[in-house]
Structures are given as C-alpha cells and as structure tokens.
DNA sequence: GTGTAAGCGAGACGGTACGTCCTGTCTTCCT
DNA sequence: AGGAAGACAGGACGTACCGTCTCGCTTACAC
C-alpha cells in the first residue's frame, strides 16, 4: 500500500482522499466534513492530506474540477434551441441532484467568506462552464436564431441566473417547462 | 450594567450581541465568527448567548431580519419600469455592498449544508423579499406595462435571478445598464 | 460532576489526573506516558490538564511532592544508629519499590536534560528529603554518637549516595546488611 | 560524501552520525534529539540510521562506549590513595563536564524507564567502569593500605556512590577536598 | 423590607478537530 | 549493494471553540 519514493506522490492516496471527501460531504454535509474524518475514511495519514492540500476546501475543489466538466458538456443535435433546453436542464440537474453539484454548492458557500476561494472557483470552474454555455448561443447565432449583435455574455446571465437562483437560493424546483419558457422568452427578446 | 431580574431578558445584551456578530462577520468572515468571540466583543457571557439563540446562525438571522426589509423596500414613483430599475439596483447594492447583505450571503452559504436553515431563510426573509419584488410587477400590470396573463413569479425569477447569480456566483459587477437592459428585455418578452 | 464556576478548579479532576499519571507511569513507563493518555484515563479533557499543568512533568511533580514526604519520614526510637538504618532502608524501598519512587526516578531522569526541572526537584523535594536525613545525624550528635565537629552534609552524601547509586545506576539490591555496614563504617570514620 | 557501493557500510557515515548525535545532545538536550535531526546534521539519510541502529539511544550508546573508557582509565603512580583521588576526580569531571558524560547521563535517564537499556548500560559500560575503579583498590590491598579481607565491591559503592549522587541528583559541586576526605574516610573505615 | 427567583458576567468542565511534528517503514533512483 | 531522497501510515503534540454547567451578584416583583 505504501508508495513512498522520491519521484512523486501516491496516486492511490490521492484518489482515496478525493473519493472519501466526496462521500463524506454528501453523507454528512459540509459542516461535518473534517480532515480527520477524510483521513480515516481514506485510510491515509492526516499529514499526507496536509502535504498536498492546503485545506479541506482544496480537496473538494480538486474533486469538483475532476468531475464537473464531463457532467455538463452541451449536446449538439443541430437544433440550438432544443440543445439549449437540454443543456440547461442538465445544468439544473448538476446543481440540484448530483454529487459534484453538492461539492459545487459547498464551495460556492465557502466562497462567500473566502474571496480567494471564490476567485479560484471562477477561474477554474465557472469560466469553463460559461464557455460551454456560450457555445450553444454561438451556434444559435450561426443558425440565425440570434442576431449577430446580441451580447452573448449577458444572455448567458439571463439564462443561467434564474437556474442558479432557484437551485441555490429559493430551492424551487426547476421544471422542463420553466426552462423551455425561459429559453424562448430570452431568445425572443434578444 | 447587570440587569438581572425575574421579568425578561436584557435588551442591552441582545443588541450588543447582534451588533458584535454583525461586526465580526464583516471584519473576519463567517469562518472566524465564533460564539466565544461574539461573547467577548459584546461583553456578554457565553451562557447568555446560548440561552437566547440556539446557534450562531440564529444570531445572524435575527440581525438580518431586523435590517433587511428597510434596505430594500421598493419605491413608487408612478413609473413601474423606472421603479423596477431603481429597486433592482437597490437589491444589487444590498447583495454586494451592505452589511446586511454580507449576513444574507453568509446565511445562504450556510443554508447550502443546512436545509432547516435554508427553509427558515426562505420563510422569514426570501418570501417577504419576493413579495416586495412582485409589488412592482403588479403595479406594472395595473399600468398595462405587462399583460394580466403574465406569470409574475416566473418574471421575478428572470429579473432577480441574474442579479443573485452575479452577486453570489460570478462576482461580476451589476451596472445600471445591465439592470436597465434586463428589465426592458424581460418586460418585452412577457 | 461539573464544578465549573468562578471559584476555582475541580479538586476531583485534579486528583483524577494525579492518580492517572501515577498509574500510567508505573504501568507503561515514562516514555509511554502521554497527556492524551492521562486525560483519557482520568476522564478529563486535555485542555483541563493544559490549563493547570504546564507539562506532563509538572503533573508528576505534584504527585511526587504529595506522596513522598510521608513515605520517608525518619523514625525516632532513641537509638540513632538503629533509626538511621531503618530510615535508609525506607529510603531504599522508596527509591526502588514504591510508586512515588518511580515518579522520583522519572523526574530525576528528565532533570538530566532539563536544568529547570532539576532545580525545582532539588528545591521542592531533595532539600526537604536531606533535611529529614540530617535530623537523624543531629540526634546522633546529641547522643554523642558523632562528634560535634562532624560535617553532617558530607556525611549525608556518604550515607545516601551509595543508595541512590545502587538504586538508579547499577540496580544492585540494597540489603539490610549493606545499609548496616554502610552506617557503621560511616559513623566510625566521622 | 556518497559512498554507495557494494563493499559494506560507510565508516564515514557512521562517524558522522555518532558525532552529530553527540553534538546535538550537548546543544539541545535529549528531549530535542531526533533521528530526523541527526540525519540532517550528519548529512545522512534517515534510512541509513535506521538500518544500523535500532533506536536513537543505540546511537548514543555507541558514542558512549567509544569515548568513555579512555576518559576515565585510572593512573598508576605507585601511591594508591593519591591515584584514587585523581581517578575519582576524573570520574567526577566525566560525569559533570564532558560530552561523553552528557551521553552517559542521558542514557542513565532513559534507563530509568527502559530496563533493557539499563541492563545494557551496566553490561557494556558500568561493569567495565567498576572494574577500572576496583583496580586501584586492588593495588591498595597489595600495598597494604587496605586489609585483604575488605569487600572491595562495597567500597567501590561507597566511593563512587556519593559522586554519582552529587553529579546526577543534587548537582552539588564535587571538590577535590570532598573527594580527598571521602577517600581517606572510606579507607580508614575499611 | 425582606425573600425569592430570574438574568447576568464569569469561567471551568468534557469534548472534537485542528494543523504540526516526529517516528519507523517502504520504494525508487543514483553511484 | 549501499546510501540518499522522500512519501507514506500512524499518532502525540498543544490550541481553539464547542456547548454545558455552576457560581455569586444584581435586580424587581410579591408578600
């Protein structure tokens, strides 16, 4: 089980820690997520965690970046509007129902009182996410569903903002109908 | 300075605790906000805090409800669109720049891993806030700026969602222009 | 069980700690004596220990001073030589066979690399012990068994030195015969 | 500095370790003597230490045995009493003022809670030391300064006991006068 | 006007988790 | 093959707060 050598860390230990952190977060919530507990669950020494991750949020961070991209990569069926609805529904599912989404919510929460974490979250996750969101709008422009003059960034805000709002703030359900109406209204007004 | 008597709690202690909690949250962030610290800053015994508030989030909660309503009560100039822009700008300022907003962000963050807190936040703050938000739309309906068939709740989501998204998630600035465009596009498409 | 109040510490906790430290030292030896272990055995929080004792040696110290004096207070039968033998045998037993003696040996050991501890051990234990040792010699002087010119401090060294040497260094048994011979030879040569 | 070869252990590394252990013991005391620190000071890998010495006390042990004998080998001037005083003064100096003495004190201290170490210390150091001590007494017997019936082992105890006692327990200075008186009194009473 | 009871500041208590340090084992590379 | 490097599991360290408790003081109503 020991890997110890001069050329780098144990991949086994790294994955065990990420998995344990993910599991414990989902099981017990962020408040009860402790480095001590992660170490025990992962069968790893605390020092090994502190050696590679400055804090427990960094562990979650790594877990998030690893998982998120694949879960919410937009489809491309040739019908931008339909793809948009599909993609936003996937995003809603990610935010409300997936393990990675739980990690995202926890990190966003921490980011409220930790500007550095918030910044890192934007750089390493949100930027990529917005790029994926934009792709669909760019295809819509190409198809003529949106005017070339449209401010796509603002439109992204108008599309995903209500989803994040419902998922993180009000907790209202995000139905397909809600998404469909949101998309059609937003595209129409652009 | 002791109040000690058989008929009720010390208002002085209550206010000192709320103020201390608010200050320490803004100064040090939520992570470093401790009951121990609040007690010391407020010149109050820990037991006095535990006697009246189940947890430190309850202290913040009381501080929020006290402050929030007055900061974001919508105006009524007779011009619903203009009022809407004014109100949403005030909301944006509340979310990003006020002390009460910092408390709101902290509680929303905690609510991500504490469903009971999230529910309470909705009941005691968000519901009232959405009611205030809706009032403007109802006036717009009366003025004929919106069709009577419009689903006002959904429109509220589309209006405030992007603001919360920028304030809590991306951290992008919320300019008057952004709000103005958001309002006109949303009303147009409804 | 809790005492917590403004008028000082819990005597119960104090005694539990002293007893646990004493027991664990005898059972496992000094090397395996940990604050963690003492706290657990005593049913006390680590912080309670750190609050009242700067280090684990201080705990042992308190245990020693409490116990030692009564174990090795010299007798007075009117026969100084006999009393001397009795007393030195008691001292030998203390050094080699008693719990308090185990504590003494451990602290003396620590004192080898901690001058402050060594000094404190002298002040608070050894000085008293030597005073008790001297009393017998003073009585011997009064009886005429020793010349008034005798340097009693030096004689104490010659009497107890070999006992400490056997007990702490060579581990040889200290028989009554050895003590008897030591006393008679030492008194004769003084 | 690398020796890495196929022909047995590096004498260079061995000496560096012994020297480093000795230095660090004198500089920082036993409590702060760590295998990690010795390895770093000696420019040697931890594993090299663990390969050759079971524990850090074994390192000190080897250092002691190497140094001690030569420091306290008794002289032979033909005057046993004078030699005895000289030798005991050398012993006192060894115990209180030499580097090897510091190692001896540290090991004796450890021996208080480690019977195996204590036994080894007796076998490999103390036995030899006592033999050297005895030689002088045997010469004294040959010269007629001591009766042939004298129990030399007991006399050794009476001579060196007070020295160890002062050096390790009370910390009193060991003056030439003290030693001279001790020797004359002891020989007289034998 | 005295007695009683509730709220108060204070702070010790048993605990949990923190982040650091060192141990002794192990693996890999270099010589 | 020996030595250097260094990652690993384990576990004690001393610290910070947690939430509970008991204390002795200070009121102010109730008798």
């Amino acid at each position: 089980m020991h890997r110890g050598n001069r050329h780098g860390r144990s991949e086994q230990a790294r994955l065990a820690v990420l998995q344990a952190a993910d599991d414990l977060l989902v099981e017990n919530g962020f408040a009860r997520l402790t480095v001590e507990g992660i170490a025990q669950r992962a069968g790893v020494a605390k020092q090994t965690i502190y050696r590679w991750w400055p804090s427990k949020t960094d562990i979650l961070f790594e877990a998030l970046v690893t998982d998120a991209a694949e879960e919410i990569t937009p489809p491309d069926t040739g019908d931008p509007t339909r793809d948009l609805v599909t993609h936003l529904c996937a995003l809603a599912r990610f935010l409300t129902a997936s393990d990675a989404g739980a990690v995202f919510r926890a990190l966003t929460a921490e980011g409220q009182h930790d500007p550095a974490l918030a910044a890192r979250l934007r750089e390493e996750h949100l930027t990529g996410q917005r790029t994926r969101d934009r792709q669909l709008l760019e295809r819509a422009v190409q198809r003529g569903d949106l005017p070339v003059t449209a401010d796509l960034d603002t439109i992204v805000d108008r599309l995903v903002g209500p989803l994040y709002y419902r998922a993180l703030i009000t907790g209202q359900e995000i139905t397909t109908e809600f998404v469909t109406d949101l998309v059609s209204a937003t595209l129409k007004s652009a």
Side-chain angles (χ1 to χ4, degrees), chain A:
Chain A
M1 181 58 72
H2 284 200
R3 263 242 28 220
N5 63 50
R6 65 187 307 182
H7 301 291
R9 63 197 284 191
S10 162
E11 182 66 7
Q12 207 165 2
R14 181 181 152 267
L15 291 176
V17 168
L18 294 182
Q19 191 58 53
D22 214 332
D23 291 354
L24 289 172
L25 177 70
V26 172
E27 283 174 25
N28 307 327
F30 185 87
R32 294 193 165 164
L33 182 66
T34 65
V35 173
E36 207 107 2
I38 295 170
Q40 193 164 354
R41 170 83 153 241
V44 140
K46 269 200 303 178
Q47 182 57 31
T48 297
I49 296 183
Y50 284 112
R51 179 154 36 232
W52 300 112
W53 293 277
S55 75
K56 74 181 176 187
T57 57
D58 291 79
I59 304 172
L60 292 180
F61 204 89
E62 192 167 330
L64 172 65
V65 172
T66 302
D67 295 357
E70 63 202 49
E71 285 198 30
I72 36 183
T73 295
D76 185 0
T77 65
D79 178 346
T81 302
R82 200 174 118 205
D83 286 352
L84 210 46
V85 170
T86 306
H87 176 60
L88 291 179
C89 285
L91 175 59
R93 225 175 306 116
F94 165 78
L95 289 174
T96 59
S98 75
D99 284 6
V103 174
F104 173 75
R105 291 202 310 278
L107 288 173
T108 300
E110 277 306 284
Q112 298 308 316
H113 359 95
D114 181 347
L117 174 62
R120 204 176 148 203
L121 193 55
R122 284 161 202 154
E123 280 167 32
E124 300 189 36
H125 173 72
L126 282 170
T127 302
Q129 184 55 35
R130 284 183 67 91
T131 302
R132 289 191 288 274
D133 299 337
R134 258 187 79 120
Q135 286 175 0
L136 289 166
L137 298 180
E138 285 162 0
R139 289 210 288 264
V141 171
Q142 290 170 346
R143 288 280 180 144
D145 293 346
L146 275 175
V148 274
T149 57
D151 179 347
L152 299 189
D153 275 325
T154 298
I155 295 177
V156 168
D157 289 344
R158 289 190 203 150
L159 286 170
V160 303
L163 300 190
Y164 282 88
Y165 175 63
R166 286 197 159 191
L168 299 180
I169 316 288
T170 70
Q172 295 166 89
E173 203 188 346
I174 301 173
T175 62
T176 306
E177 190 194 357
F178 177 78
V179 174
T180 308
D181 291 353
L182 177 65
V183 168
S184 69
T186 304
L187 293 187
K188 185 170 74 178
S189 69

